[in-house]
Amino acid sequence: MLLLPEEETKNPGVEDGLSFEQACFSTEWILQTSEKKEATHLACFICRKTVNTPVKITCSQHNDVDKLLIVGENCLKQHLEKNNKCPIDKHDGCQYTKNEAAQVQVNALTVICPRQYERALKKAVEGQNEQIRCDFKGKMQELNKHLNGDCSLRPVECMFKQFGCTYSCLQGEMQSHLESNISFHHNLTLMQLKEMQQAIQKEREDIQCEKMELQQEKMKLKCDIDICKQENERQAEMLKNAEQDIELFHKHNVSLVNENASLKKQAQQGHREELI
């Protein structure tokens, strides 16, 4: 039996949540359903695994090389980050481009579910029992949709998570969980419904309290406006009375002035008559 290195055992194909932009594929996984010559033809020059996101090296320094120089894009980028030298002739300025023809061949490879392959390896090594299986067998280009969709080995959370169920399992085991926990999920739903009703009732009460507070503030404001209006009217009346008093005082002063002038005139006239 062919065993994979530790990192390959964790990721025989594509890790959950990753796209086809990561490390090259395990050749042993590919060989489960593909011919050896196919895997060999599509081997990455750097890691020797089956190439993922193939690119071809196009440096002018090795145009005379007969075979097509295929590498995985991620492998090449990691190599250049560490060495900054072309992996072929160790020169600077490595040139490469997408290899669409090789990508078509990779997409056409027939593969099994990588999760099932990993479980089979663990079963062989650890003697685990397989209660849930994934029998997917299809083209590489269909794999991502399978892993993120109907794969029975895909980790999933209970559909009642929003109601408080924290259970998670493989997708193929979820139906059993749902069937055996109908009452539990029903109670969770009722509790959630009750909490929602209580929250709605509290919100209504809060709104009613806010309305009452606004009404009280409105009444207080109206009262304050009435008081201000009355005070303004009182001050206006006082001002009017003051103006009237000033006018009467002015008239009285004018009368006194006229009277004094008349008395002064009479006194002067009497004084002249005495002199005569």
Side-chain angles (χ1 to χ4, degrees):
M1 180 185 65
L2 292 173
L3 294 179
L4 303 178
E6 182 178 357
E7 66 272 17
E8 291 189 21
T9 304
K10 293 180 180 179
N11 181 17
V14 180
E15 293 182 0
D16 293 344
L18 297 180
S19 64
F20 293 102
E21 298 174 357
Q22 306 302 316
C24 292
F25 302 114
S26 160
T27 301
E28 286 77 3
W29 171 58
I30 296 295
L31 289 177
Q32 301 299 306
T33 48
S34 298
E35 297 292 334
K36 183 175 182 179
K37 63 179 181 179
E38 292 180 301
T40 302
H41 176 67
L42 294 171
C44 172
F45 182 84
I46 296 175
C47 69
R48 306 304 178 184
K49 300 176 186 177
T50 302
V51 69
N52 186 5
T53 315
V55 298
K56 56 183 177 182
I57 298 177
T58 58
C59 308
S60 59
Q61 287 86 341
H62 33 79
N63 283 335
D64 56 341
V65 177
D66 293 334
K67 65 178 181 179
L68 189 62
L69 302 176
I70 301 176
V71 296
E73 184 175 23
N74 191 66
C75 279
L76 181 58
K77 287 181 177 179
Q78 289 185 350
H79 174 85
L80 294 177
E81 286 177 2
K82 294 178 180 179
N83 304 289
N84 200 28
K85 300 286 185 181
C86 176
I88 308 300
D89 291 333
K90 312 303 179 185
H91 60 79
D92 296 331
C94 180
Q95 301 294 316
Y96 61 93
T97 184
K98 294 283 188 181
N99 192 328
E100 296 182 0
Q103 184 64 64
V104 170
Q105 296 179 57
V106 171
N107 290 342
L109 289 174
T110 300
V111 294
I112 61 173
C113 176
R115 294 188 181 115
Q116 178 60 41
Y117 178 65
E118 181 181 345
R119 286 169 67 86
L121 290 179
K122 289 183 178 180
K123 178 183 178 182
V125 175
E126 302 173 7
Q128 295 180 349
N129 294 324
E130 270 192 352
Q131 296 180 346
I132 303 295
R133 287 184 52 84
C134 177
D135 296 322
F136 171 82
K137 182 178 181 181
K139 301 300 181 183
M140 180 75 77
Q141 63 184 3
E142 302 169 348
L143 183 59
N144 202 30
K145 180 180 179 181
H146 163 73
L147 292 176
N148 294 315
D150 59 359
C151 178
S152 59
L153 301 178
R154 179 169 69 92
V156 294
E157 295 177 328
C158 179
M159 65 177 62
F160 288 91
K161 179 181 178 181
Q162 61 178 324
F163 298 102
C165 183
T166 59
Y167 185 79
S168 61
C169 62
L170 300 179
Q171 186 163 242
E173 299 170 332
M174 183 53 68
Q175 186 61 35
S176 175
H177 165 72
L178 294 175
E179 291 175 354
S180 59
N181 289 276
I182 294 176
S183 178
F184 173 66
H185 291 150
H186 178 68
N187 291 335
L188 284 179
T189 305
L190 292 179
M191 289 175 59
Q192 184 75 8
L193 179 60
K194 183 178 180 180
E195 291 176 359
M196 291 174 63
Q197 290 174 338
Q198 291 174 345
I200 292 173
Q201 180 62 30
K202 184 178 183 303
E203 186 174 356
R204 288 176 177 174
E205 293 174 354
D206 292 342
I207 292 174
Q208 188 63 30
C209 289
E210 290 179 1
K211 285 183 177 180
M212 293 178 62
E213 291 176 357
L214 289 174
Q215 187 65 25
Q216 291 175 356
E217 290 179 3
K218 182 180 179 180
M219 294 176 62
K220 183 177 181 301
L221 180 60
K222 185 178 182 301
C223 183
D224 292 341
I225 291 174
D226 291 340
I227 292 173
C228 289
K229 184 178 179 181
Q230 293 173 4
E231 180 64 20
N232 289 338
E233 291 176 351
R234 187 182 68 82
Q235 292 184 3
E237 184 66 24
M238 290 176 61
L239 179 60
K240 181 180 179 181
N241 293 336
E243 290 176 346
Q244 292 176 350
D245 291 343
I246 292 172
E247 184 178 356
L248 291 173
F249 180 74
H250 178 68
K251 290 179 179 180
H252 180 68
N253 285 343
V254 171
S255 177
L256 289 176
V257 170
N258 292 336
E259 185 178 350
N260 288 337
S262 177
L263 291 174
K264 184 177 180 181
K265 184 178 180 181
Q266 292 178 4
Q268 290 176 349
Q269 185 178 358
H271 180 67
R272 284 196 298 267
E273 290 177 351
E274 291 178 356
L275 291 177
I276 297 175

